Amino acid sequence: MIPFIDLAAQQQRIKTDIDQRIAAVLAHGQYILGPEVPELEAELVAFTGARHCVGVSDGTTALQIALMALGVGPGDEVITTPFSFIATAEVIALLGAIPVFVDIDPRTCNIDPARIETAITAKTRAIIPVSLYGQCADMDAINGVAARFGLAVIEDAAQSFGATYKGRHSCALSTIACTSFFPSKPLGCYGDGGACFTDDDELATRMREIRAHGQDRRYHHPRVGLNGRLDTLQAAILLAKLKIFPEEVARRAAIGARYSEQLGDIAATPHIEAWNTSVYAQYTLRVPNREALVKALAGKGVPTAVHYPIPLHRQPALAGISRWTDCTGSERAAAEVMSLPMHPWLSQEDQDRVCEAVKSCL
């Protein structure tokens, strides 16, 4: 069986550095917000071009902290896409706010900026575009709508860290950006981790306080917060991984391009906008008769995954606490998308096997 994601292949290349980084943490014993956390935050600021980075416990908590820093609460509305992992809308609901779903651009599967304005009401506080599958949403268009209505924009960049939009990096494109370092993400740790990014000094201060129970100094809490701190061990691992990350981004791009070259004549391959680069967090086709193809590929030793089979406006947990209009594009995508093995160290031989299997099954 070809691995869908091969973390072991990556680890072999940086094992010495990882071992040294972990040993250093074990030696100094500062396991919570130890020195590797601000070191990582500085490296991520340098990489993205954002003014501030706040390391947090995971990508979901990053989104919640961002919303809390903006003061989003009960009765407020937050516009987002229904074609995403539930965390995007879950955090809105957890704060008592209302997720408002706007349909996608069928070419990119990202939120359609042209549909956002009609969803805005007097209760709207923010927009959360998701940079899905490794490609940024059309952030200039989204920011333009937000500016006209005085709204904040939070980029959900859980899948797009390392991607660029018009020459700028994901996570430096909006009021706040949030990413995830879940192990399977383009930059992943060996557990949970995440980060918030902003150019706003005051928002950065609020997010740092919120991640540590709302405290600005020990036992003094000017705001309600939560326990959202990034573990020092995970920061150390990310520092080791960050050294080879640019190479991995380039390899992902080459593998994605090769998939599209080989499969473009027989399937709907990812559409990457001319102004974007993608880190291909997933390489996702759109195909008819998906279930039959998934079964046939499994028989040939090719694993697949579906991101995501049920759009958020159809999720039972959000019934009665969200609103939307026409989301047929998201429903159609949910019935057709299928992801193939993708990671930076996918060999050409294995990729050829995947492509031949897809061709034979289609």
Side-chain angles (χ1 to χ4, degrees):
M1 175 74 77
I2 296 171
F4 189 76
I5 296 173
D6 192 349
L7 297 179
Q10 179 197 60
Q11 185 181 132
Q12 290 172 5
R13 288 162 171 80
I14 54 175
K15 187 176 187 306
T16 299
D17 196 9
I18 286 176
D19 288 348
Q20 290 173 348
R21 288 279 187 177
I22 292 174
V25 175
L26 296 178
H28 65 58
Q30 298 177 55
Y31 300 118
I32 303 296
L33 295 182
E36 285 79 5
V37 174
E39 181 184 355
L40 174 67
E41 291 172 342
E43 292 287 340
L44 296 177
V45 161
F47 182 87
T48 62
R51 184 178 175 88
H52 300 282
C53 172
V54 181
V56 299
S57 57
D58 57 85
T60 305
T61 300
L63 289 168
Q64 184 171 347
I65 288 173
L67 288 168
M68 291 172 69
L70 292 168
V72 173
D76 293 334
E77 295 182 350
V78 179
I79 294 172
T80 190
T81 169
F83 197 55
S84 178
F85 184 58
I86 196 167
T88 307
E90 183 178 49
V91 292
I92 301 169
L94 281 170
L95 294 175
I98 301 165
V100 177
F101 297 117
V102 169
D103 208 7
I104 59 172
D105 178 339
R107 300 171 309 153
T108 64
C109 291
N110 282 326
I111 193 170
D112 186 347
R115 296 174 178 263
I116 292 175
E117 186 167 339
T118 58
I120 295 173
T121 72
K123 296 180 179 180
T124 307
R125 293 291 307 279
I127 305 167
I128 304 182
V130 176
S131 294
L132 196 69
Y133 298 154
Q135 173 179 208
C136 293
D138 191 350
M139 298 302 294
D140 282 355
I142 295 165
N143 288 334
V145 174
R148 289 200 301 275
F149 290 88
L151 305 175
V153 177
I154 302 171
E155 182 193 11
D156 182 339
Q159 298 179 20
S160 61
F161 187 85
T164 61
Y165 171 86
K166 298 182 180 178
R168 296 172 289 156
H169 272 104
S170 176
C171 295
L173 305 170
S174 55
T175 315
I176 301 174
C178 302
T179 198
S180 168
F181 301 129
F182 187 78
S184 62
K185 301 301 183 186
L187 180 64
C189 54
Y190 291 160
D192 272 318
C196 300
F197 298 83
T198 187
D199 288 340
D200 187 298
D201 295 350
E202 175 59 26
L203 286 176
T205 297
R206 291 181 204 167
M207 290 191 292
R208 290 189 188 281
E209 292 172 355
I210 291 168
R211 76 171 174 184
H213 299 286
Q215 69 179 6
D216 59 355
R217 58 187 185 273
R218 190 167 177 82
Y219 298 132
H220 185 264
H221 306 263
R223 66 185 76 251
V224 172
L226 45 76
N227 182 7
R229 300 166 297 195
L230 177 63
D231 290 346
T232 309
L233 279 168
Q234 300 302 340
I237 289 163
L238 288 165
L239 283 164
K241 287 193 168 194
L242 197 55
K243 288 184 178 180
I244 64 167
F245 186 62
E247 178 188 0
E248 291 193 328
V249 169
R251 293 178 70 95
R252 283 178 175 275
I255 292 167
R258 194 162 186 271
Y259 263 140
S260 294
E261 181 181 357
Q262 293 205 34
L263 300 176
D265 291 338
I266 61 169
T269 55
H271 172 81
I272 309 301
E273 296 284 17
W275 53 77
N276 280 346
T277 63
S278 177
V279 287
Y280 292 102
Q282 294 85 25
Y283 185 88
T284 304
L285 303 174
R286 294 186 63 163
V287 295
N289 303 316
R290 180 180 64 204
E291 281 65 34
L293 180 57
V294 166
K295 183 177 180 179
L297 289 173
K300 294 178 178 291
V302 175
T304 57
V306 176
H307 309 90
Y308 298 93
I310 304 175
L312 299 183
H313 67 292
R314 299 297 185 193
Q315 291 289 353
L318 300 173
I321 60 171
S322 60
R323 69 175 179 87
W324 67 91
T325 52
D326 178 13
C327 291
T328 54
S330 299
E331 293 177 358
R332 190 174 301 115
E336 296 175 352
V337 293
M338 183 195 72
S339 300
L340 299 176
M342 166 57 81
H343 59 86
W345 308 104
L346 181 66
S347 69
Q348 185 170 313
E349 179 183 12
D350 280 349
Q351 189 177 21
D352 286 342
R353 287 177 56 200
V354 172
C355 291
E356 288 304 317
V358 173
K359 291 175 184 176
S360 67
C361 292
L362 287 177

